[in-house]
Amino acid sequence: MACVWLNAYSAYKGYEPVYYRGNAIWKDDTSTSGIFSWNKSKNGYRLPTECEWEFAAGGGNAETQKRTILTPTAEAMLLGK
């Protein structure tokens, strides 16, 4: 799974892993105990959020983004609502 790989790569590069299962760092793909979470205060590698993906898909231009179909959450984040 991508989250496990990103945690391992973060640790390899000297950053803090961001993905957790329960209270433990998610280190293997077989872990099924605990709730999956993303610790936003950590500095490790992570997958982009939905809003970040949509912004990048629009070429990084807010005007382009306004012409694309956005989810309500992404639109609110992009437009600062």
Side-chain angles (χ1 to χ4, degrees), residues 14 39 50 62-63 72 74:
N39 188 330
E50 178 184 7
E63 288 302 314

Side-chain angles (χ1 to χ4, degrees), residues 2-81:
C3 298
V4 173
W5 188 90
L6 288 166
N7 273 350
Y9 192 65
S10 294
Y12 172 74
K13 289 291 198 173
Y15 297 113
E16 301 169 302
V18 299
Y19 296 107
Y20 287 76
R21 277 283 197 183
N23 293 326
I25 296 170
W26 195 3
K27 292 186 177 183
D28 63 58
D29 205 20
T30 60
S31 175
T32 57
S33 61
I35 297 173
F36 170 79
S37 63
W38 164 37
N39 188 330
K40 296 175 186 173
S41 69
K42 302 298 182 183
N43 64 356
Y45 292 95
R46 63 174 177 80
L47 295 169
T49 64
E50 178 184 7
C51 187
E52 290 167 339
W53 272 115
E54 291 185 7
F55 186 76
N61 182 330
E63 288 302 314
T64 304
Q65 287 293 66
K66 291 178 185 174
R67 291 179 293 211
T68 62
I69 299 172
L70 300 175
T71 63
T73 303
E75 183 176 16
M77 290 176 71
L78 179 66
L79 300 177
K81 295 180 181 178

